[in-house]
Amino acid sequence: MRTSTSQFQLLVDYMEKHGDLSKPSDGPHGKELNTRRWAELTQLLNADATGVTKNTDKWRKVWSDLKNNTKKKAARIFRAGAGTGGGPACKIKLSDLEQRVLSITGTRAATGIVEIPEVGLEVG
C-alpha cells in the first residue's frame, strides 16, 4: 500500500499551517518543538485509514521526496519556458498539490535566482 492522496493532502495542509518541518525553527526549543510536530503529524497521517502507516522517519522521507520531485518538475517547466523555442511546447503542469508544495518551499528552490541586476559602467 502507498501513501494515499488524502495523506498527501494532510501532509501539505500541516506544512502550510506549521511551516516546513524539514527546516527546524531557531531558538532554544526549536528542535524539541520540531520533534513534537513531527510526532503529531505522524499520528495524524497514520490515523488516515486510506493509506499506509509509517514511522516518523519514513514520513520525513515522503515529505522530502515530494518536495524534491516537485522542485525538479517545476525546474523542467521553467527551463522549457526560458528556452529559445523551436521545439514542442512543454505540456507538463504542476498539480494543485505541487503548487502548494512549491509555495511552502519557495519557487527560488526550483528555478534559482531569476533576475540579477547587471553591474556595469554607465555610458554617459
Side-chain angles (χ1 to χ4, degrees):
M1 194 176 217
R2 305 183 82 184
T3 304
S4 70
T5 302
S6 174
Q7 287 175 313
F8 279 119
Q9 292 284 348
L10 286 168
L11 179 61
V12 173
D13 289 346
Y14 194 91
M15 293 298 177
E16 284 175 331
K17 184 176 180 183
H18 299 286
D20 185 351
L21 296 184
S22 64
K23 299 174 183 171
S25 58
D26 293 331
H29 302 290
K31 187 173 182 177
E32 180 184 315
L33 176 63
N34 186 268
T35 301
R36 277 188 304 194
R37 285 197 172 145
W38 270 112
E40 178 184 22
L41 179 56
T42 297
Q43 279 188 318
L44 182 69
L45 293 167
N46 288 339
D48 185 331
T50 65
V52 64
T53 300
K54 300 176 185 255
N55 65 30
T56 301
D57 287 338
K58 300 245 183 202
W59 284 118
R60 286 177 190 257
K61 176 84 168 102
V62 168
W63 175 240
S64 176
D65 289 348
L66 180 60
K67 287 191 321 178
N68 289 334
N69 291 335
T70 300
K71 285 188 247 183
K72 285 178 190 174
K73 187 174 179 181
R76 276 196 311 269
I77 293 168
F78 176 76
R79 280 193 307 274
T84 58
C90 179
K91 292 184 169 116
I92 304 169
K93 301 271 187 245
L94 291 177
S95 69
D96 289 339
L97 187 75
E98 290 167 330
Q99 289 177 356
R100 290 171 60 202
V101 170
L102 205 56
S103 73
I104 294 167
T105 61
T107 55
R108 193 174 284 177
T111 60
I113 299 172
V114 178
E115 293 187 27
I116 301 174
E118 276 190 43
V119 177
L121 300 173
E122 286 188 31
V123 179

